[in-house]
Amino acid sequence: MPVSRHLIALSAAVCLAAGLAAAPATAEPRPRTLAELAEKHHKYFGSATDNPEFTDAAYLKLLGSEFGQTTPGNAMKWETTEPRRGVFDFTAAEEVMAFAEDHHQKVRGHTLVWHNQLPAWLTERGWTAGELRAVLKNHIQTEVRHFKGRVIHWDVVNEAFNEDGTYRETLFYKTLGPGYIADALRWAHEIDPHAKLYLNDYNVDGVNAKSDAYYKLIRQLKADGVPVEGFGLQGHLALQYGFPAGVQENIQRFADLGVDVAITELDIRMRLPATPEKLATQAAWYADYVKACLAVRKCVGVTIWDYTDKYSWIPGVFPEEGAALPYDENLQPKPAYHAIRKVLGG
C-alpha cells in the first residue's frame, strides 16, 4: 500500500525537529591570547614573575593562560642562587621553572652577572683578579649547567654601561677589566651552546651614547668570535620623559649586526594618580613599542616586567609613580592591554 504524502512530510518534519534539538549550540570562539597573537608574527609575548606572587591563584591563572614566555624577576640572581660561596640554591628558580614548564612557556634566564643583588660574601671583601675570575666562572657555569636545555636566553651581563657610554665601574670591571664580559659569554656558551646569550640594559631604547657603546661592543665581540647572540632592551619608560626616538631604527641596527633583539622588561610608568589621558598615552606607547619589534624580523619577542600593577616594582623604587602595566591591581585589562592586542592583530 503506497505511503501517504502527508505521512512522509510529517516524518521528515519530526526528524528535522529532532535533529535541530540534538544539535549543540555554537559556542563563541575563545579570544586568542597575547601569546597566540604574537606567535602569528613568529614572536613570543611574555611576562616576568616573582615567587611571592605564587600564592595568588587568580594571578597565576592569567600568567599561565595569557603569556607564552616568562622571566624569573629575582629567583635567578646571584644573592638568591649562591647565598654562600660555593653553596647553590635553585629552589626559588625551580618554582618558576616548574610553572613555566607546566604551562608550556619559554623561559629567559635573568641574570648571571650584575652589580646589584650580590651576596655579602662577594661584596664585603677584596679579591685578586685570579680569585674573582675563578668565582665568577664557577657561578656562571654552575647556574647555566643547572638549567641547561630549559632556558632559551640568558641575560649574561646586565647593565654594564653608564648613561654616557663609559663602562660602569662594578666589582667585576674594577677587578677584571672590560674583558670580563667576553669571558662571561664564553663560559656560559661552553656549558650550554644552544641557549642564546644576551647583553641587557635600560635606557638603550633609541640611538644614544649608551646604546652606541653596546653597538660598538657587540660589533667587536662578534669580530673576535665571542658568542654574543642577543641584545636586550629593557624598556623601562616613564611618561614624563617622552617616548624615546628611533626605537625601530635602533632595533634594526642591532639586528643588522647579526644578533637577535628582545624587549626584555617593558613597563611604562606615570606620576600618580593615573588619569584617562595618561592611560591613553601609555596605551599608545605600548602599541608603538610592540610595533617597532614587529617591524624587525630579528626582534624575537616582548616581555613585560610582570603584567599587573598589583605586583609592579615601580612604586617601591619611584615614589608617587606607578600604574605601569597593562593590567590594573585588580587584574583587569587597561587601555594598554587592548592597544597591544590591536597591534598584534587581535
Side-chain angles (χ1 to χ4, degrees), residues 119-182:
W121 66 262
L122 185 62
T123 60
E124 292 181 357
R125 57 155 286 181
W127 302 91
T128 67
E131 289 171 337
L132 189 59
R133 271 180 63 83
V135 166
L136 183 59
K137 181 178 182 180
N138 183 62
H139 177 79
I140 290 169
Q141 294 202 324
T142 301
E143 185 160 357
V144 173
R145 184 178 293 111
H146 182 85
F147 295 106
K148 183 177 180 179
R150 302 164 70 196
V151 169
I152 60 164
H153 305 159
W154 274 108
D155 289 330
V156 177
V157 179
N158 194 47
E159 301 175 5
F161 286 103
N162 296 311
E163 299 303 302
D164 62 0
T166 58
Y167 280 98
R168 188 188 292 272
E169 294 203 0
T170 66
L171 167 66
F172 309 106
Y173 177 81
K174 289 189 291 186
T175 309
L176 302 174
Y180 83 92
I181 297 174

Short mmCIF file of all heavy atoms in Angstrom, two decimals, residues 119-182:
data_model
loop_
_atom_site.label_atom_id
_atom_site.label_comp_id
_atom_site.label_asym_id
_atom_site.label_seq_id
_atom_site.Cartn_x
_atom_site.Cartn_y
_atom_site.Cartn_z
N PRO A 119 75.55 38.72 46.86
CA PRO A 119 75.63 38.31 48.26
C PRO A 119 76.76 39.04 48.99
O PRO A 119 77.76 39.44 48.38
CB PRO A 119 75.91 36.81 48.17
CG PRO A 119 76.57 36.62 46.84
CD PRO A 119 75.95 37.64 45.93
N ALA A 120 76.60 39.19 50.28
CA ALA A 120 77.58 39.92 51.09
C ALA A 120 78.96 39.28 51.02
O ALA A 120 79.98 39.99 51.03
CB ALA A 120 77.10 40.01 52.53
N TRP A 121 79.02 37.94 50.92
CA TRP A 121 80.33 37.29 50.90
C TRP A 121 81.15 37.71 49.68
O TRP A 121 82.38 37.67 49.70
CB TRP A 121 80.20 35.76 50.94
CG TRP A 121 79.54 35.12 49.74
CD1 TRP A 121 78.25 34.74 49.61
CD2 TRP A 121 80.19 34.76 48.50
NE1 TRP A 121 78.02 34.18 48.37
CE2 TRP A 121 79.20 34.18 47.67
CE3 TRP A 121 81.49 34.88 48.00
CZ2 TRP A 121 79.48 33.72 46.38
CZ3 TRP A 121 81.76 34.42 46.71
CH2 TRP A 121 80.77 33.84 45.92
N LEU A 122 80.45 38.17 48.63
CA LEU A 122 81.14 38.59 47.41
C LEU A 122 81.56 40.05 47.48
O LEU A 122 82.64 40.42 46.99
CB LEU A 122 80.22 38.35 46.21
CG LEU A 122 80.78 38.61 44.81
CD1 LEU A 122 81.97 37.69 44.53
CD2 LEU A 122 79.69 38.39 43.76
N THR A 123 80.73 40.89 48.09
CA THR A 123 80.96 42.33 48.03
C THR A 123 81.74 42.88 49.22
O THR A 123 82.28 43.99 49.14
CB THR A 123 79.62 43.08 47.95
OG1 THR A 123 78.84 42.76 49.10
CG2 THR A 123 78.86 42.69 46.69
N GLU A 124 81.79 42.15 50.32
CA GLU A 124 82.36 42.71 51.54
C GLU A 124 83.80 42.30 51.80
O GLU A 124 84.28 42.34 52.93
CB GLU A 124 81.47 42.33 52.73
CG GLU A 124 80.10 43.01 52.68
CD GLU A 124 79.22 42.67 53.86
OE1 GLU A 124 79.64 41.85 54.71
OE2 GLU A 124 78.10 43.22 53.93
N ARG A 125 84.52 41.93 50.76
CA ARG A 125 85.94 41.63 50.88
C ARG A 125 86.63 41.97 49.57
O ARG A 125 85.97 42.20 48.54
CB ARG A 125 86.17 40.16 51.23
CG ARG A 125 85.57 39.17 50.24
CD ARG A 125 86.27 37.82 50.24
NE ARG A 125 87.58 37.89 49.59
CZ ARG A 125 88.40 36.85 49.44
NH1 ARG A 125 88.06 35.67 49.92
NH2 ARG A 125 89.56 36.98 48.81
N GLY A 126 87.93 42.03 49.58
CA GLY A 126 88.68 42.29 48.37
C GLY A 126 89.05 40.98 47.67
O GLY A 126 89.15 39.93 48.31
N TRP A 127 89.24 41.07 46.35
CA TRP A 127 89.59 39.90 45.54
C TRP A 127 90.76 40.24 44.63
O TRP A 127 90.82 41.34 44.08
CB TRP A 127 88.40 39.47 44.67
CG TRP A 127 87.15 39.13 45.40
CD1 TRP A 127 86.13 39.96 45.73
CD2 TRP A 127 86.79 37.84 45.92
NE1 TRP A 127 85.15 39.30 46.41
CE2 TRP A 127 85.52 37.97 46.54
CE3 TRP A 127 87.42 36.58 45.92
CZ2 TRP A 127 84.87 36.90 47.15
CZ3 TRP A 127 86.75 35.51 46.52
CH2 TRP A 127 85.50 35.68 47.13
N THR A 128 91.64 39.29 44.45
CA THR A 128 92.60 39.44 43.36
C THR A 128 91.89 39.09 42.07
O THR A 128 90.81 38.47 42.07
CB THR A 128 93.79 38.48 43.54
OG1 THR A 128 93.33 37.13 43.39
CG2 THR A 128 94.45 38.66 44.91
N ALA A 129 92.48 39.48 40.95
CA ALA A 129 91.88 39.17 39.65
C ALA A 129 91.72 37.66 39.48
O ALA A 129 90.67 37.17 39.02
CB ALA A 129 92.71 39.76 38.53
N GLY A 130 92.73 36.91 39.87
CA GLY A 130 92.65 35.46 39.72
C GLY A 130 91.56 34.84 40.56
O GLY A 130 90.84 33.93 40.12
N GLU A 131 91.41 35.32 41.79
CA GLU A 131 90.36 34.80 42.67
C GLU A 131 88.97 35.10 42.12
O GLU A 131 88.10 34.23 42.08
CB GLU A 131 90.50 35.43 44.06
CG GLU A 131 91.69 34.95 44.87
CD GLU A 131 91.89 35.76 46.13
OE1 GLU A 131 91.42 36.92 46.20
OE2 GLU A 131 92.54 35.23 47.05
N LEU A 132 88.77 36.35 41.70
CA LEU A 132 87.44 36.73 41.23
C LEU A 132 87.09 36.03 39.92
O LEU A 132 85.94 35.65 39.70
CB LEU A 132 87.33 38.25 41.08
CG LEU A 132 85.91 38.76 40.80
CD1 LEU A 132 84.95 38.37 41.92
CD2 LEU A 132 85.91 40.28 40.62
N ARG A 133 88.06 35.86 39.04
CA ARG A 133 87.80 35.11 37.79
C ARG A 133 87.29 33.71 38.11
O ARG A 133 86.33 33.23 37.50
CB ARG A 133 89.07 35.01 36.94
CG ARG A 133 89.28 36.16 35.98
CD ARG A 133 90.57 35.97 35.19
NE ARG A 133 90.52 34.77 34.35
CZ ARG A 133 89.95 34.71 33.15
NH1 ARG A 133 89.36 35.79 32.65
NH2 ARG A 133 89.97 33.60 32.46
N ALA A 134 87.93 33.06 39.06
CA ALA A 134 87.52 31.70 39.42
C ALA A 134 86.12 31.68 40.01
O ALA A 134 85.30 30.81 39.68
CB ALA A 134 88.52 31.10 40.40
N VAL A 135 85.83 32.65 40.89
CA VAL A 135 84.49 32.73 41.50
C VAL A 135 83.44 33.00 40.44
O VAL A 135 82.36 32.37 40.43
CB VAL A 135 84.49 33.83 42.57
CG1 VAL A 135 83.06 34.20 42.98
CG2 VAL A 135 85.28 33.38 43.80
N LEU A 136 83.71 33.94 39.54
CA LEU A 136 82.75 34.31 38.50
C LEU A 136 82.50 33.14 37.55
O LEU A 136 81.35 32.84 37.22
CB LEU A 136 83.27 35.53 37.73
CG LEU A 136 82.36 36.11 36.66
CD1 LEU A 136 81.03 36.56 37.25
CD2 LEU A 136 83.05 37.30 35.96
N LYS A 137 83.57 32.50 37.12
CA LYS A 137 83.41 31.36 36.21
C LYS A 137 82.59 30.25 36.85
O LYS A 137 81.69 29.68 36.24
CB LYS A 137 84.78 30.84 35.78
CG LYS A 137 84.69 29.65 34.81
CD LYS A 137 86.07 29.18 34.38
CE LYS A 137 85.97 28.03 33.38
NZ LYS A 137 87.31 27.56 32.94
N ASN A 138 82.89 29.96 38.11
CA ASN A 138 82.17 28.89 38.79
C ASN A 138 80.69 29.23 38.93
O ASN A 138 79.81 28.37 38.74
CB ASN A 138 82.78 28.64 40.17
CG ASN A 138 82.11 27.48 40.88
OD1 ASN A 138 82.14 26.35 40.40
ND2 ASN A 138 81.49 27.75 42.02
N HIS A 139 80.39 30.49 39.27
CA HIS A 139 78.98 30.88 39.43
C HIS A 139 78.24 30.74 38.10
O HIS A 139 77.16 30.13 38.04
CB HIS A 139 78.87 32.32 39.93
CG HIS A 139 77.45 32.76 40.03
ND1 HIS A 139 76.63 32.41 41.08
CD2 HIS A 139 76.68 33.49 39.17
CE1 HIS A 139 75.42 32.92 40.87
NE2 HIS A 139 75.43 33.58 39.73
N ILE A 140 78.80 31.30 37.05
CA ILE A 140 78.14 31.26 35.74
C ILE A 140 77.93 29.81 35.30
O ILE A 140 76.83 29.41 34.90
CB ILE A 140 78.97 32.03 34.70
CG1 ILE A 140 78.91 33.54 34.98
CG2 ILE A 140 78.49 31.73 33.28
CD1 ILE A 140 79.89 34.36 34.17
N GLN A 141 78.98 29.03 35.35
CA GLN A 141 78.88 27.68 34.78
C GLN A 141 78.01 26.76 35.62
O GLN A 141 77.30 25.91 35.08
CB GLN A 141 80.27 27.11 34.57
CG GLN A 141 81.06 27.90 33.51
CD GLN A 141 82.18 27.12 32.88
OE1 GLN A 141 82.85 26.32 33.53
NE2 GLN A 141 82.42 27.35 31.59
N THR A 142 78.01 26.93 36.93
CA THR A 142 77.14 26.11 37.77
C THR A 142 75.68 26.42 37.50
O THR A 142 74.85 25.49 37.37
CB THR A 142 77.46 26.34 39.26
OG1 THR A 142 78.83 26.00 39.51
CG2 THR A 142 76.58 25.46 40.14
N GLU A 143 75.36 27.70 37.38
CA GLU A 143 73.95 28.05 37.14
C GLU A 143 73.50 27.65 35.74
O GLU A 143 72.42 27.09 35.57
CB GLU A 143 73.73 29.56 37.37
CG GLU A 143 72.28 29.96 37.25
CD GLU A 143 71.93 31.27 37.91
OE1 GLU A 143 72.82 31.90 38.55
OE2 GLU A 143 70.77 31.67 37.82
N VAL A 144 74.32 27.92 34.76
CA VAL A 144 73.94 27.54 33.38
C VAL A 144 73.81 26.03 33.27
O VAL A 144 72.89 25.52 32.61
CB VAL A 144 74.96 28.10 32.38
CG1 VAL A 144 74.68 27.57 30.97
CG2 VAL A 144 74.94 29.63 32.37
N ARG A 145 74.70 25.29 33.91
CA ARG A 145 74.63 23.83 33.87
C ARG A 145 73.33 23.33 34.50
O ARG A 145 72.68 22.40 34.00
CB ARG A 145 75.83 23.22 34.59
CG ARG A 145 75.90 21.69 34.51
CD ARG A 145 77.14 21.16 35.19
NE ARG A 145 78.35 21.55 34.47
CZ ARG A 145 79.26 22.43 34.92
NH1 ARG A 145 79.08 23.02 36.11
NH2 ARG A 145 80.32 22.72 34.21
N HIS A 146 72.93 23.95 35.60
CA HIS A 146 71.71 23.51 36.30
C HIS A 146 70.48 23.63 35.39
O HIS A 146 69.59 22.77 35.43
CB HIS A 146 71.50 24.32 37.57
CG HIS A 146 70.30 23.88 38.34
ND1 HIS A 146 70.34 22.85 39.25
CD2 HIS A 146 69.01 24.32 38.32
CE1 HIS A 146 69.13 22.67 39.76
NE2 HIS A 146 68.30 23.55 39.22
N PHE A 147 70.43 24.69 34.59
CA PHE A 147 69.25 24.94 33.76
C PHE A 147 69.47 24.60 32.29
O PHE A 147 68.66 24.98 31.43
CB PHE A 147 68.82 26.41 33.89
CG PHE A 147 68.35 26.77 35.27
CD1 PHE A 147 69.13 27.54 36.12
CD2 PHE A 147 67.13 26.30 35.75
CE1 PHE A 147 68.71 27.86 37.40
CE2 PHE A 147 66.69 26.62 37.03
CZ PHE A 147 67.49 27.40 37.86
N LYS A 148 70.52 23.89 31.99
CA LYS A 148 70.86 23.59 30.60
C LYS A 148 69.68 22.93 29.88
O LYS A 148 69.06 22.00 30.38
CB LYS A 148 72.07 22.66 30.56
CG LYS A 148 72.55 22.34 29.14
CD LYS A 148 73.80 21.48 29.17
CE LYS A 148 74.27 21.16 27.74
NZ LYS A 148 75.51 20.35 27.75
N GLY A 149 69.38 23.45 28.69
CA GLY A 149 68.30 22.90 27.88
C GLY A 149 66.92 23.37 28.26
O GLY A 149 65.94 23.04 27.57
N ARG A 150 66.80 24.15 29.32
CA ARG A 150 65.49 24.60 29.79
C ARG A 150 65.30 26.10 29.65
O ARG A 150 64.18 26.60 29.84
CB ARG A 150 65.31 24.19 31.26
CG ARG A 150 65.45 22.69 31.48
CD ARG A 150 65.66 22.37 32.95
NE ARG A 150 64.47 22.60 33.74
CZ ARG A 150 64.47 22.70 35.06
NH1 ARG A 150 65.62 22.61 35.74
NH2 ARG A 150 63.35 22.90 35.72
N VAL A 151 66.36 26.82 29.33
CA VAL A 151 66.33 28.28 29.22
C VAL A 151 66.69 28.65 27.79
O VAL A 151 67.70 28.19 27.26
CB VAL A 151 67.33 28.90 30.22
CG1 VAL A 151 67.54 30.37 29.95
CG2 VAL A 151 66.86 28.68 31.66
N ILE A 152 65.86 29.47 27.16
CA ILE A 152 66.12 29.81 25.76
C ILE A 152 67.14 30.93 25.62
O ILE A 152 67.90 30.96 24.65
CB ILE A 152 64.82 30.19 25.00
CG1 ILE A 152 64.12 31.41 25.64
CG2 ILE A 152 63.89 29.00 24.89
CD1 ILE A 152 63.07 32.06 24.75
N HIS A 153 67.15 31.88 26.54
CA HIS A 153 68.08 33.01 26.52
C HIS A 153 68.68 33.17 27.92
O HIS A 153 68.00 32.91 28.91
CB HIS A 153 67.39 34.35 26.20
CG HIS A 153 66.60 34.40 24.96
ND1 HIS A 153 65.60 35.35 24.75
CD2 HIS A 153 66.63 33.65 23.82
CE1 HIS A 153 65.07 35.17 23.56
NE2 HIS A 153 65.66 34.14 22.99
N TRP A 154 69.90 33.67 27.98
CA TRP A 154 70.47 34.14 29.24
C TRP A 154 70.85 35.61 29.11
O TRP A 154 71.54 35.98 28.15
CB TRP A 154 71.74 33.36 29.60
CG TRP A 154 71.49 32.08 30.33
CD1 TRP A 154 71.62 30.81 29.84
CD2 TRP A 154 71.07 31.94 31.70
NE1 TRP A 154 71.30 29.89 30.81
CE2 TRP A 154 70.96 30.56 31.96
CE3 TRP A 154 70.78 32.86 32.72
CZ2 TRP A 154 70.58 30.06 33.21
CZ3 TRP A 154 70.39 32.36 33.95
CH2 TRP A 154 70.29 30.98 34.19
N ASP A 155 70.39 36.43 30.05
CA ASP A 155 70.98 37.76 30.21
C ASP A 155 72.30 37.54 30.93
O ASP A 155 72.35 37.47 32.16
CB ASP A 155 70.06 38.68 31.02
CG ASP A 155 68.81 39.07 30.26
OD1 ASP A 155 68.87 39.15 29.02
OD2 ASP A 155 67.78 39.31 30.91
N VAL A 156 73.37 37.40 30.15
CA VAL A 156 74.65 37.02 30.73
C VAL A 156 75.24 38.17 31.53
O VAL A 156 75.63 38.02 32.69
CB VAL A 156 75.62 36.53 29.64
CG1 VAL A 156 76.99 36.21 30.24
CG2 VAL A 156 75.06 35.30 28.94
N VAL A 157 75.32 39.35 30.90
CA VAL A 157 75.82 40.54 31.59
C VAL A 157 74.74 41.61 31.52
O VAL A 157 74.23 41.93 30.44
CB VAL A 157 77.13 41.05 30.99
CG1 VAL A 157 77.61 42.31 31.72
CG2 VAL A 157 78.21 39.96 31.06
N ASN A 158 74.40 42.15 32.67
CA ASN A 158 73.30 43.10 32.79
C ASN A 158 73.84 44.46 33.22
O ASN A 158 74.61 44.55 34.18
CB ASN A 158 72.31 42.57 33.85
CG ASN A 158 70.97 43.27 33.85
OD1 ASN A 158 70.38 43.46 32.79
ND2 ASN A 158 70.48 43.62 35.02
N GLU A 159 73.49 45.50 32.45
CA GLU A 159 73.75 46.90 32.83
C GLU A 159 75.24 47.18 33.00
O GLU A 159 75.70 47.64 34.05
CB GLU A 159 72.94 47.26 34.08
CG GLU A 159 71.44 47.08 33.85
CD GLU A 159 70.59 47.31 35.08
OE1 GLU A 159 71.14 47.69 36.14
OE2 GLU A 159 69.36 47.09 35.01
N ALA A 160 75.99 46.96 31.95
CA ALA A 160 77.46 47.09 32.00
C ALA A 160 77.94 48.52 31.73
O ALA A 160 79.13 48.80 31.95
CB ALA A 160 78.10 46.15 30.99
N PHE A 161 77.06 49.41 31.25
CA PHE A 161 77.50 50.76 30.86
C PHE A 161 76.75 51.84 31.63
O PHE A 161 75.60 51.67 32.03
CB PHE A 161 77.27 50.97 29.36
CG PHE A 161 78.26 50.26 28.49
CD1 PHE A 161 77.91 49.09 27.83
CD2 PHE A 161 79.55 50.75 28.31
CE1 PHE A 161 78.81 48.43 27.01
CE2 PHE A 161 80.46 50.10 27.50
CZ PHE A 161 80.09 48.93 26.85
N ASN A 162 77.43 52.99 31.78
CA ASN A 162 76.80 54.21 32.28
C ASN A 162 76.04 54.90 31.15
O ASN A 162 76.16 54.54 29.97
CB ASN A 162 77.87 55.15 32.84
CG ASN A 162 78.58 54.56 34.04
OD1 ASN A 162 77.95 54.08 34.96
ND2 ASN A 162 79.92 54.62 34.01
N GLU A 163 75.30 55.96 31.52
CA GLU A 163 74.50 56.67 30.52
C GLU A 163 75.34 57.31 29.43
O GLU A 163 74.90 57.46 28.29
CB GLU A 163 73.64 57.74 31.21
CG GLU A 163 72.64 57.20 32.22
CD GLU A 163 71.69 56.18 31.62
OE1 GLU A 163 70.99 56.52 30.65
OE2 GLU A 163 71.67 55.03 32.10
N ASP A 164 76.57 57.70 29.77
CA ASP A 164 77.43 58.37 28.78
C ASP A 164 78.22 57.38 27.92
O ASP A 164 79.06 57.78 27.12
CB ASP A 164 78.39 59.35 29.47
CG ASP A 164 79.35 58.66 30.43
OD1 ASP A 164 79.30 57.41 30.58
OD2 ASP A 164 80.17 59.38 31.04
N GLY A 165 77.96 56.08 28.10
CA GLY A 165 78.63 55.08 27.28
C GLY A 165 79.95 54.60 27.85
O GLY A 165 80.62 53.78 27.21
N THR A 166 80.34 55.08 29.04
CA THR A 166 81.54 54.54 29.69
C THR A 166 81.15 53.28 30.46
O THR A 166 79.99 53.07 30.80
CB THR A 166 82.15 55.56 30.66
OG1 THR A 166 81.15 55.92 31.65
CG2 THR A 166 82.60 56.81 29.91
N TYR A 167 82.15 52.45 30.73
CA TYR A 167 81.89 51.23 31.48
C TYR A 167 81.47 51.57 32.92
O TYR A 167 82.09 52.41 33.56
CB TYR A 167 83.12 50.33 31.51
CG TYR A 167 83.32 49.52 30.25
CD1 TYR A 167 84.20 49.96 29.25
CD2 TYR A 167 82.63 48.33 30.05
CE1 TYR A 167 84.38 49.22 28.10
CE2 TYR A 167 82.81 47.59 28.89
CZ TYR A 167 83.68 48.04 27.92
OH TYR A 167 83.86 47.30 26.77
N ARG A 168 80.45 50.89 33.40
CA ARG A 168 80.06 51.02 34.80
C ARG A 168 81.16 50.38 35.66
O ARG A 168 81.58 49.25 35.40
CB ARG A 168 78.72 50.32 35.04
CG ARG A 168 78.14 50.56 36.43
CD ARG A 168 76.92 49.68 36.64
NE ARG A 168 75.79 50.08 35.79
CZ ARG A 168 74.87 50.98 36.12
NH1 ARG A 168 74.98 51.63 37.29
NH2 ARG A 168 73.87 51.25 35.31
N GLU A 169 81.59 51.09 36.68
CA GLU A 169 82.71 50.61 37.49
C GLU A 169 82.21 49.65 38.58
O GLU A 169 82.17 49.96 39.77
CB GLU A 169 83.50 51.78 38.07
CG GLU A 169 84.19 52.59 36.99
CD GLU A 169 85.37 53.39 37.51
OE1 GLU A 169 85.66 53.31 38.72
OE2 GLU A 169 85.98 54.09 36.70
N THR A 170 81.86 48.47 38.13
CA THR A 170 81.38 47.43 39.03
C THR A 170 82.56 46.69 39.65
O THR A 170 83.72 46.88 39.26
CB THR A 170 80.53 46.42 38.24
OG1 THR A 170 81.39 45.74 37.31
CG2 THR A 170 79.42 47.11 37.46
N LEU A 171 82.26 45.83 40.59
CA LEU A 171 83.28 44.95 41.16
C LEU A 171 84.02 44.19 40.06
O LEU A 171 85.25 44.07 40.09
CB LEU A 171 82.60 43.97 42.13
CG LEU A 171 83.42 42.77 42.60
CD1 LEU A 171 84.59 43.24 43.46
CD2 LEU A 171 82.54 41.78 43.37
N PHE A 172 83.27 43.72 39.08
CA PHE A 172 83.87 42.89 38.03
C PHE A 172 84.74 43.72 37.10
O PHE A 172 85.84 43.31 36.72
CB PHE A 172 82.76 42.16 37.26
CG PHE A 172 81.81 41.43 38.16
CD1 PHE A 172 80.53 41.92 38.39
CD2 PHE A 172 82.21 40.30 38.85
CE1 PHE A 172 79.67 41.28 39.25
CE2 PHE A 172 81.36 39.64 39.72
CZ PHE A 172 80.07 40.13 39.92
N TYR A 173 84.26 44.92 36.75
CA TYR A 173 85.05 45.78 35.87
C TYR A 173 86.31 46.26 36.56
O TYR A 173 87.41 46.23 35.98
CB TYR A 173 84.20 46.98 35.42
CG TYR A 173 84.97 47.95 34.54
CD1 TYR A 173 85.15 47.70 33.20
CD2 TYR A 173 85.54 49.11 35.09
CE1 TYR A 173 85.87 48.58 32.39
CE2 TYR A 173 86.26 49.98 34.29
CZ TYR A 173 86.42 49.71 32.95
OH TYR A 173 87.13 50.58 32.17
N LYS A 174 86.19 46.70 37.79
CA LYS A 174 87.35 47.25 38.50
C LYS A 174 88.41 46.18 38.77
O LYS A 174 89.61 46.48 38.79
CB LYS A 174 86.91 47.90 39.82
CG LYS A 174 86.15 49.19 39.62
CD LYS A 174 85.90 49.93 40.93
CE LYS A 174 84.93 49.20 41.82
NZ LYS A 174 84.59 49.99 43.03
N THR A 175 88.01 44.95 38.96
CA THR A 175 88.95 43.89 39.30
C THR A 175 89.48 43.17 38.06
O THR A 175 90.65 42.78 38.01
CB THR A 175 88.28 42.86 40.24
OG1 THR A 175 87.69 43.55 41.34
CG2 THR A 175 89.30 41.86 40.77
N LEU A 176 88.62 43.00 37.06
CA LEU A 176 88.97 42.18 35.90
C LEU A 176 89.13 42.97 34.61
O LEU A 176 89.66 42.43 33.63
CB LEU A 176 87.90 41.10 35.70
CG LEU A 176 87.66 40.16 36.87
CD1 LEU A 176 86.47 39.24 36.59
CD2 LEU A 176 88.91 39.35 37.18
N GLY A 177 88.67 44.23 34.60
CA GLY A 177 88.71 44.99 33.35
C GLY A 177 87.56 44.62 32.43
O GLY A 177 86.77 43.70 32.74
N PRO A 178 87.43 45.30 31.29
CA PRO A 178 86.28 45.07 30.41
C PRO A 178 86.21 43.67 29.82
O PRO A 178 85.16 43.24 29.36
CB PRO A 178 86.47 46.13 29.31
CG PRO A 178 87.93 46.45 29.34
CD PRO A 178 88.35 46.33 30.77
N GLY A 179 87.33 42.94 29.87
CA GLY A 179 87.33 41.58 29.32
C GLY A 179 86.43 40.61 30.06
O GLY A 179 86.17 39.51 29.55
N TYR A 180 85.93 41.01 31.23
CA TYR A 180 85.04 40.09 31.96
C TYR A 180 83.78 39.78 31.16
O TYR A 180 83.18 38.70 31.32
CB TYR A 180 84.68 40.66 33.34
CG TYR A 180 83.54 41.67 33.36
CD1 TYR A 180 82.23 41.26 33.58
CD2 TYR A 180 83.78 43.03 33.17
CE1 TYR A 180 81.19 42.17 33.61
CE2 TYR A 180 82.75 43.94 33.21
CZ TYR A 180 81.45 43.52 33.42
OH TYR A 180 80.43 44.43 33.44
N ILE A 181 83.36 40.69 30.30
CA ILE A 181 82.14 40.48 29.52
C ILE A 181 82.34 39.34 28.51
O ILE A 181 81.52 38.42 28.42
CB ILE A 181 81.72 41.79 28.81
CG1 ILE A 181 81.38 42.85 29.85
CG2 ILE A 181 80.54 41.54 27.87
CD1 ILE A 181 81.10 44.23 29.28
N ALA A 182 83.42 39.39 27.77
CA ALA A 182 83.71 38.32 26.82
C ALA A 182 83.91 36.99 27.54
O ALA A 182 83.44 35.94 27.08
CB ALA A 182 84.94 38.67 25.99
#
